[in-house]
Amino acid sequence: MPASPSSSTMADRAELEQAVAQQGERVRSLKQSKASSEQIAEEIAKLLELKAQLGTDDGKHKFVLKTPKGTRDYNPKQMAIREKVFDTIIHCFKRHGAETIDTPVFELKETLTGKYGEDSKLIYDLKDQGGELLSLRYDLTVPFARYLAMNKITNIKRYHIAKVYRRDNPAMTRGRYREFYQCDFDIAGQYDPMIPDAECLKIVHEILSELELGEFLIKVNDRRILDGMFAVCGVPDSKFRTICSSVDKLDKTPWEEVKTEMVGEKGLAPEAADCIGEYVQNNGGLTLIEKLLKDPKLSQNKQALDGLNDMKILFQYLELFGVTDKISFDLSLARGLDYYTGVIYEAILLPHQGKQPQNDNAEESVSVGSVAGGGRYDGLVGMFDPKGRKVPCVGVSIGIERIFSIMEQKAEASEEKIRTTGTQILVAAAQKKLLEERMKLIAELWNAGIKAEMLYKKNPKLLNQLQYCEETGIPLVAIIGEQELKDGLVKLRIVSTREEVDVARQNLVEEIHRRTNLL
């Protein structure tokens, strides 16, 4: 006899209740083992989702407060870390003469279609809300190319920092989200070979060095060398892109597994795969480039030869910029996006803290993960131009979310106190009935451009005011009392040393500037 609807519903509910209990236990054990806050948040989100399915006992659906899958909120401490990272990156972009632009968060669907190869399935399509089919932007590069073509711009050096959207399976503990920031720097225009490309690599080197994330390595290759290598190894033209995506897995997968995929799943001849294997397991610097320029097979292919000659020029420029110690020419690098036409690069963090040597085995260590990537895309703007006019472009995107994850973990581990405001001074009173005087003084400071606060109480206790400074990291306190007001003075207290000095009121702004510059 079939189960009644009510008994099957009860069984489903029992199953859900069990899942809620198990997930609750998982959250508790993660908290006990002091797992990262991100991992705990991710498991709590799953728990809330299960509880939402369970609903309430009266059968009504329970409303659950949570962020959508693959997104997160950022508290003031996290935002302080993010702002510091953004400041470092923007300062570097500006140092190199970049100006900034912004583009809409959504584009016409046809603008994004056909630009990302296999990744196109990750684009968020929006419902037709007014006669246009729209999609959320997947990156900042395609909107940039559309902007150049639409405005007939042939030369620009720009940076763009904004959110992008991918319908990916999020792994938030590893800095993978559905909504995340990208930080892009691009140089568009017709220039002599490899000069802008070398500057992009120098920028990556500067940013990763300044952020002090640990040892890193920037892998460099060229799409033309890859395509030339596939051609001389006997890969059919129709299989170039799919074999390229297999090669791209070599940073995480051993060669034997990649070869099995090429031959077993993608139907490549075993001898062609072996030929590819001879090349893609090489990495190094100028020595390797010279060796490949003399390679009997590669040197006969025009594409590969052009790529190798440009790679040689690039490494000479990188030598002049003083960054070759962190750069490796790596034949296994095959960044997936369809629009790359020349040089491609990717920066990875290395797990150990030893000095990374520059030699032909410069990358024997396993990578922690990619934190920047980019390359040359000379054909993308032409796709949008009615007359197919090309604007050569080269750029780099900083993997900001992964960098944030690392910086947050470092801050958590060091237990350093992170300031979430930039307040320079607290205006305090030593006696009662001085609210009006505090308000007058704080207005003077604000008008002079000083970052100042006061407590929102008529008669706060002096101890409470000083404790507030200790808790929030405010370095100075301006204390006024009846005697100070009569004498035209302010008692300036240095919070860290508890030293107090009398300062003439007219000199207070200057003294605050002097003291905060010393701190």
Side-chain angles (χ1 to χ4, degrees), residues 288-308:
L288 177 60
I289 297 163
E290 296 283 7
K291 182 182 149 191
L292 292 172
L293 279 166
K294 293 176 190 140
D295 183 273
K297 285 186 284 194
L298 271 188
S299 60
Q300 297 309 304
N301 181 282
K302 188 183 182 306
Q303 261 193 310
L305 200 58
D306 288 348
L308 285 164

PDB file of all heavy atoms in Angstrom, residues 288-308:
ATOM      1  N   LEU A 288      66.352  29.345 -22.242  1.00  0.00           N
ATOM      2  CA  LEU A 288      65.341  28.476 -22.856  1.00  0.00           C
ATOM      3  C   LEU A 288      64.834  29.078 -24.172  1.00  0.00           C
ATOM      4  O   LEU A 288      64.639  28.351 -25.159  1.00  0.00           O
ATOM      5  CB  LEU A 288      64.180  28.271 -21.875  1.00  0.00           C
ATOM      6  CG  LEU A 288      62.990  27.445 -22.391  1.00  0.00           C
ATOM      7  CD1 LEU A 288      63.416  26.030 -22.793  1.00  0.00           C
ATOM      8  CD2 LEU A 288      61.884  27.369 -21.332  1.00  0.00           C
ATOM      9  N   ILE A 289      64.660  30.386 -24.203  1.00  0.00           N
ATOM     10  CA  ILE A 289      64.182  31.054 -25.431  1.00  0.00           C
ATOM     11  C   ILE A 289      65.192  30.827 -26.562  1.00  0.00           C
ATOM     12  O   ILE A 289      64.821  30.462 -27.686  1.00  0.00           O
ATOM     13  CB  ILE A 289      63.941  32.567 -25.184  1.00  0.00           C
ATOM     14  CG1 ILE A 289      62.837  32.765 -24.141  1.00  0.00           C
ATOM     15  CG2 ILE A 289      63.562  33.290 -26.480  1.00  0.00           C
ATOM     16  CD1 ILE A 289      62.767  34.149 -23.520  1.00  0.00           C
ATOM     17  N   GLU A 290      66.485  31.027 -26.259  1.00  0.00           N
ATOM     18  CA  GLU A 290      67.560  30.816 -27.253  1.00  0.00           C
ATOM     19  C   GLU A 290      67.546  29.366 -27.754  1.00  0.00           C
ATOM     20  O   GLU A 290      67.675  29.114 -28.955  1.00  0.00           O
ATOM     21  CB  GLU A 290      68.937  31.122 -26.638  1.00  0.00           C
ATOM     22  CG  GLU A 290      69.132  32.574 -26.214  1.00  0.00           C
ATOM     23  CD  GLU A 290      69.404  33.530 -27.376  1.00  0.00           C
ATOM     24  OE1 GLU A 290      69.318  33.104 -28.551  1.00  0.00           O
ATOM     25  OE2 GLU A 290      69.667  34.713 -27.108  1.00  0.00           O
ATOM     26  N   LYS A 291      67.344  28.432 -26.826  1.00  0.00           N
ATOM     27  CA  LYS A 291      67.335  27.014 -27.181  1.00  0.00           C
ATOM     28  C   LYS A 291      66.171  26.717 -28.147  1.00  0.00           C
ATOM     29  O   LYS A 291      66.335  26.008 -29.147  1.00  0.00           O
ATOM     30  CB  LYS A 291      67.197  26.179 -25.894  1.00  0.00           C
ATOM     31  CG  LYS A 291      67.214  24.667 -26.110  1.00  0.00           C
ATOM     32  CD  LYS A 291      67.014  23.944 -24.769  1.00  0.00           C
ATOM     33  CE  LYS A 291      66.307  22.630 -24.958  1.00  0.00           C
ATOM     34  NZ  LYS A 291      65.872  22.038 -23.681  1.00  0.00           N
ATOM     35  N   LEU A 292      64.982  27.270 -27.832  1.00  0.00           N
ATOM     36  CA  LEU A 292      63.803  27.003 -28.672  1.00  0.00           C
ATOM     37  C   LEU A 292      63.887  27.685 -30.034  1.00  0.00           C
ATOM     38  O   LEU A 292      63.326  27.204 -31.012  1.00  0.00           O
ATOM     39  CB  LEU A 292      62.523  27.435 -27.941  1.00  0.00           C
ATOM     40  CG  LEU A 292      62.162  26.595 -26.703  1.00  0.00           C
ATOM     41  CD1 LEU A 292      61.008  27.230 -25.942  1.00  0.00           C
ATOM     42  CD2 LEU A 292      61.800  25.158 -27.090  1.00  0.00           C
ATOM     43  N   LEU A 293      64.608  28.835 -30.078  1.00  0.00           N
ATOM     44  CA  LEU A 293      64.797  29.513 -31.380  1.00  0.00           C
ATOM     45  C   LEU A 293      65.607  28.638 -32.343  1.00  0.00           C
ATOM     46  O   LEU A 293      65.520  28.785 -33.552  1.00  0.00           O
ATOM     47  CB  LEU A 293      65.490  30.865 -31.180  1.00  0.00           C
ATOM     48  CG  LEU A 293      64.571  32.025 -30.751  1.00  0.00           C
ATOM     49  CD1 LEU A 293      65.383  33.208 -30.241  1.00  0.00           C
ATOM     50  CD2 LEU A 293      63.665  32.474 -31.904  1.00  0.00           C
ATOM     51  N   LYS A 294      66.391  27.719 -31.776  1.00  0.00           N
ATOM     52  CA  LYS A 294      67.196  26.802 -32.608  1.00  0.00           C
ATOM     53  C   LYS A 294      66.520  25.438 -32.766  1.00  0.00           C
ATOM     54  O   LYS A 294      67.073  24.537 -33.399  1.00  0.00           O
ATOM     55  CB  LYS A 294      68.577  26.608 -31.960  1.00  0.00           C
ATOM     56  CG  LYS A 294      69.424  27.887 -31.968  1.00  0.00           C
ATOM     57  CD  LYS A 294      70.746  27.661 -31.228  1.00  0.00           C
ATOM     58  CE  LYS A 294      71.468  28.996 -31.038  1.00  0.00           C
ATOM     59  NZ  LYS A 294      72.102  29.102 -29.734  1.00  0.00           N
ATOM     60  N   ASP A 295      65.348  25.269 -32.157  1.00  0.00           N
ATOM     61  CA  ASP A 295      64.645  23.985 -32.230  1.00  0.00           C
ATOM     62  C   ASP A 295      64.268  23.690 -33.688  1.00  0.00           C
ATOM     63  O   ASP A 295      63.654  24.533 -34.357  1.00  0.00           O
ATOM     64  CB  ASP A 295      63.370  24.052 -31.374  1.00  0.00           C
ATOM     65  CG  ASP A 295      62.623  22.738 -31.325  1.00  0.00           C
ATOM     66  OD1 ASP A 295      61.780  22.502 -32.229  1.00  0.00           O
ATOM     67  OD2 ASP A 295      62.873  21.940 -30.416  1.00  0.00           O
ATOM     68  N   PRO A 296      64.641  22.503 -34.223  1.00  0.00           N
ATOM     69  CA  PRO A 296      64.409  22.217 -35.647  1.00  0.00           C
ATOM     70  C   PRO A 296      62.945  22.298 -36.061  1.00  0.00           C
ATOM     71  O   PRO A 296      62.639  22.706 -37.183  1.00  0.00           O
ATOM     72  CB  PRO A 296      64.958  20.794 -35.838  1.00  0.00           C
ATOM     73  CG  PRO A 296      65.165  20.240 -34.457  1.00  0.00           C
ATOM     74  CD  PRO A 296      65.351  21.405 -33.556  1.00  0.00           C
ATOM     75  N   LYS A 297      62.026  21.945 -35.159  1.00  0.00           N
ATOM     76  CA  LYS A 297      60.599  21.978 -35.537  1.00  0.00           C
ATOM     77  C   LYS A 297      59.997  23.369 -35.330  1.00  0.00           C
ATOM     78  O   LYS A 297      59.408  23.944 -36.245  1.00  0.00           O
ATOM     79  CB  LYS A 297      59.818  20.938 -34.718  1.00  0.00           C
ATOM     80  CG  LYS A 297      60.057  19.499 -35.197  1.00  0.00           C
ATOM     81  CD  LYS A 297      59.170  18.496 -34.466  1.00  0.00           C
ATOM     82  CE  LYS A 297      59.687  18.224 -33.063  1.00  0.00           C
ATOM     83  NZ  LYS A 297      59.076  17.038 -32.448  1.00  0.00           N
ATOM     84  N   LEU A 298      60.161  23.918 -34.102  1.00  0.00           N
ATOM     85  CA  LEU A 298      59.525  25.208 -33.779  1.00  0.00           C
ATOM     86  C   LEU A 298      60.037  26.337 -34.663  1.00  0.00           C
ATOM     87  O   LEU A 298      59.275  27.208 -35.074  1.00  0.00           O
ATOM     88  CB  LEU A 298      59.767  25.575 -32.309  1.00  0.00           C
ATOM     89  CG  LEU A 298      58.772  25.078 -31.261  1.00  0.00           C
ATOM     90  CD1 LEU A 298      59.079  25.697 -29.915  1.00  0.00           C
ATOM     91  CD2 LEU A 298      57.316  25.385 -31.630  1.00  0.00           C
ATOM     92  N   SER A 299      61.334  26.325 -34.945  1.00  0.00           N
ATOM     93  CA  SER A 299      61.924  27.428 -35.730  1.00  0.00           C
ATOM     94  C   SER A 299      61.401  27.463 -37.172  1.00  0.00           C
ATOM     95  O   SER A 299      61.558  28.461 -37.863  1.00  0.00           O
ATOM     96  CB  SER A 299      63.458  27.331 -35.724  1.00  0.00           C
ATOM     97  OG  SER A 299      63.852  26.097 -36.283  1.00  0.00           O
ATOM     98  N   GLN A 300      60.754  26.378 -37.601  1.00  0.00           N
ATOM     99  CA  GLN A 300      60.202  26.344 -38.970  1.00  0.00           C
ATOM    100  C   GLN A 300      58.772  26.892 -39.018  1.00  0.00           C
ATOM    101  O   GLN A 300      58.198  27.060 -40.089  1.00  0.00           O
ATOM    102  CB  GLN A 300      60.213  24.896 -39.518  1.00  0.00           C
ATOM    103  CG  GLN A 300      61.602  24.282 -39.667  1.00  0.00           C
ATOM    104  CD  GLN A 300      62.564  25.171 -40.447  1.00  0.00           C
ATOM    105  OE1 GLN A 300      62.280  25.550 -41.587  1.00  0.00           O
ATOM    106  NE2 GLN A 300      63.683  25.540 -39.824  1.00  0.00           N
ATOM    107  N   ASN A 301      58.198  27.157 -37.840  1.00  0.00           N
ATOM    108  CA  ASN A 301      56.817  27.648 -37.790  1.00  0.00           C
ATOM    109  C   ASN A 301      56.822  29.159 -37.571  1.00  0.00           C
ATOM    110  O   ASN A 301      57.372  29.643 -36.575  1.00  0.00           O
ATOM    111  CB  ASN A 301      56.068  26.944 -36.648  1.00  0.00           C
ATOM    112  CG  ASN A 301      54.620  27.395 -36.547  1.00  0.00           C
ATOM    113  OD1 ASN A 301      54.330  28.474 -36.032  1.00  0.00           O
ATOM    114  ND2 ASN A 301      53.709  26.578 -37.054  1.00  0.00           N
ATOM    115  N   LYS A 302      56.212  29.903 -38.498  1.00  0.00           N
ATOM    116  CA  LYS A 302      56.280  31.372 -38.453  1.00  0.00           C
ATOM    117  C   LYS A 302      55.678  31.944 -37.166  1.00  0.00           C
ATOM    118  O   LYS A 302      56.264  32.818 -36.530  1.00  0.00           O
ATOM    119  CB  LYS A 302      55.570  31.979 -39.666  1.00  0.00           C
ATOM    120  CG  LYS A 302      55.789  33.495 -39.749  1.00  0.00           C
ATOM    121  CD  LYS A 302      55.057  34.154 -40.885  1.00  0.00           C
ATOM    122  CE  LYS A 302      55.348  35.641 -40.941  1.00  0.00           C
ATOM    123  NZ  LYS A 302      55.104  36.375 -39.699  1.00  0.00           N
ATOM    124  N   GLN A 303      54.514  31.413 -36.785  1.00  0.00           N
ATOM    125  CA  GLN A 303      53.855  31.908 -35.557  1.00  0.00           C
ATOM    126  C   GLN A 303      54.749  31.734 -34.332  1.00  0.00           C
ATOM    127  O   GLN A 303      54.956  32.657 -33.557  1.00  0.00           O
ATOM    128  CB  GLN A 303      52.563  31.120 -35.337  1.00  0.00           C
ATOM    129  CG  GLN A 303      51.314  31.845 -35.809  1.00  0.00           C
ATOM    130  CD  GLN A 303      50.075  31.145 -35.259  1.00  0.00           C
ATOM    131  OE1 GLN A 303      49.923  29.934 -35.378  1.00  0.00           O
ATOM    132  NE2 GLN A 303      49.187  31.896 -34.660  1.00  0.00           N
ATOM    133  N   ALA A 304      55.279  30.522 -34.180  1.00  0.00           N
ATOM    134  CA  ALA A 304      56.129  30.231 -33.020  1.00  0.00           C
ATOM    135  C   ALA A 304      57.380  31.097 -33.037  1.00  0.00           C
ATOM    136  O   ALA A 304      57.814  31.626 -32.005  1.00  0.00           O
ATOM    137  CB  ALA A 304      56.506  28.751 -33.010  1.00  0.00           C
ATOM    138  N   LEU A 305      57.944  31.274 -34.226  1.00  0.00           N
ATOM    139  CA  LEU A 305      59.173  32.070 -34.376  1.00  0.00           C
ATOM    140  C   LEU A 305      58.926  33.529 -33.982  1.00  0.00           C
ATOM    141  O   LEU A 305      59.717  34.131 -33.254  1.00  0.00           O
ATOM    142  CB  LEU A 305      59.670  31.974 -35.823  1.00  0.00           C
ATOM    143  CG  LEU A 305      61.143  32.322 -36.068  1.00  0.00           C
ATOM    144  CD1 LEU A 305      62.065  31.432 -35.241  1.00  0.00           C
ATOM    145  CD2 LEU A 305      61.481  32.174 -37.557  1.00  0.00           C
ATOM    146  N   ASP A 306      57.791  34.090 -34.460  1.00  0.00           N
ATOM    147  CA  ASP A 306      57.432  35.477 -34.099  1.00  0.00           C
ATOM    148  C   ASP A 306      57.274  35.602 -32.578  1.00  0.00           C
ATOM    149  O   ASP A 306      57.753  36.556 -31.967  1.00  0.00           O
ATOM    150  CB  ASP A 306      56.113  35.889 -34.773  1.00  0.00           C
ATOM    151  CG  ASP A 306      56.265  36.094 -36.276  1.00  0.00           C
ATOM    152  OD1 ASP A 306      57.431  36.141 -36.749  1.00  0.00           O
ATOM    153  OD2 ASP A 306      55.235  36.184 -36.980  1.00  0.00           O
ATOM    154  N   GLY A 307      56.599  34.617 -31.995  1.00  0.00           N
ATOM    155  CA  GLY A 307      56.375  34.639 -30.546  1.00  0.00           C
ATOM    156  C   GLY A 307      57.676  34.550 -29.772  1.00  0.00           C
ATOM    157  O   GLY A 307      57.874  35.278 -28.787  1.00  0.00           O
ATOM    158  N   LEU A 308      58.572  33.672 -30.205  1.00  0.00           N
ATOM    159  CA  LEU A 308      59.863  33.493 -29.508  1.00  0.00           C
ATOM    160  C   LEU A 308      60.746  34.728 -29.632  1.00  0.00           C
ATOM    161  O   LEU A 308      61.422  35.121 -28.673  1.00  0.00           O
ATOM    162  CB  LEU A 308      60.591  32.260 -30.052  1.00  0.00           C
ATOM    163  CG  LEU A 308      60.018  30.908 -29.580  1.00  0.00           C
ATOM    164  CD1 LEU A 308      60.532  29.779 -30.451  1.00  0.00           C
ATOM    165  CD2 LEU A 308      60.349  30.646 -28.112  1.00  0.00           C
TER     166      LEU A 308
END
